[in-house]
Amino acid sequence: MTVLFTAGAKLLGVYFVYLTLVYLINAALLADGDRRVLTIQLLLSAVTGVIALLLMLRTGSVGRFLGVHRESSPSERFQSPVEVVEVGVVLIGIFVFLMRLAALLHIISARLAGVRFGGFGGAALRIAIEAVPLALAMYAVLRADRVANRITARLRQT
């Protein structure tokens, strides 16, 4: 699983570097606007940048922390489908977490900039709705073993 996680995490890190640059450009464009909105954009770029650097430069440490970076010999790389699914769940969970965090922070910055969210619940409801996929992504990252076991158990039943 070392090779699969390492390759996937480094590629995800490269994509997050791109997003960091996009968020920094957005922050530069908002520099003369509301300082709270600028602060949220800078926070988003900082979080994205840190995650990108961790994934690219400290891949082994991240994998060990998440429990998916087990050492294996080359012949045992893809020993079990559960391990492959577990790595996929972790990588997708990290991606979804950062994307939903960005959406949540964009809603907050829009509200701070004075955008009115019409309809039932307004901005508070939209923020609460964004919190659900954020929490699910965190669960997928931190409990990827459980998620992978459930997925592969379902696949074996069909």
Side-chain angles (χ1 to χ4, degrees):
M1 293 294 61
T2 302
V3 173
L4 181 62
F5 180 78
T6 300
K10 288 187 183 293
L11 288 173
L12 198 55
V14 168
Y15 177 68
F16 288 161
V17 166
Y18 162 77
L19 284 180
T20 300
L21 295 175
V22 168
Y23 297 146
L24 284 173
I25 291 169
N26 285 344
L29 294 174
L30 295 170
D32 61 343
D34 188 349
R35 290 287 175 212
R36 296 176 297 181
V37 175
L38 176 63
T39 303
I40 289 176
Q41 282 295 319
L42 290 174
L43 173 68
L44 182 56
S45 65
V47 169
T48 306
V50 166
I51 292 173
L53 290 175
L54 285 173
L55 288 174
M56 288 178 14
L57 304 176
R58 304 294 296 172
T59 311
S61 299
V62 171
R64 280 188 294 281
F65 175 75
L66 297 175
V68 294
H69 202 276
R70 297 179 203 93
E71 294 300 324
S72 59
S73 69
S75 63
E76 298 173 341
R77 277 191 199 149
F78 304 108
Q79 187 174 13
S80 107
V82 176
E83 290 177 344
V84 174
V85 171
E86 185 178 340
V87 168
V89 166
V90 167
L91 293 173
I92 291 170
I94 292 169
F95 176 79
V96 169
F97 174 78
L98 200 52
M99 295 297 99
R100 298 325 310 163
L101 178 65
L104 177 66
L105 291 176
H106 285 299
I107 290 171
I108 292 170
S109 71
R111 182 66 187 111
L112 290 174
V115 174
R116 295 275 180 218
F117 293 98
F120 176 74
L125 181 61
R126 290 176 191 233
I127 290 170
I129 289 171
E130 282 301 324
V132 173
L134 203 58
L136 290 173
M138 283 301 297
Y139 179 78
V141 169
L142 298 175
R143 298 305 308 182
D145 54 337
R146 287 186 182 181
V147 175
N149 283 328
R150 284 184 180 256
I151 291 170
T152 53
R154 297 275 183 206
L155 291 175
R156 280 183 250 143
Q157 290 176 354
T158 60

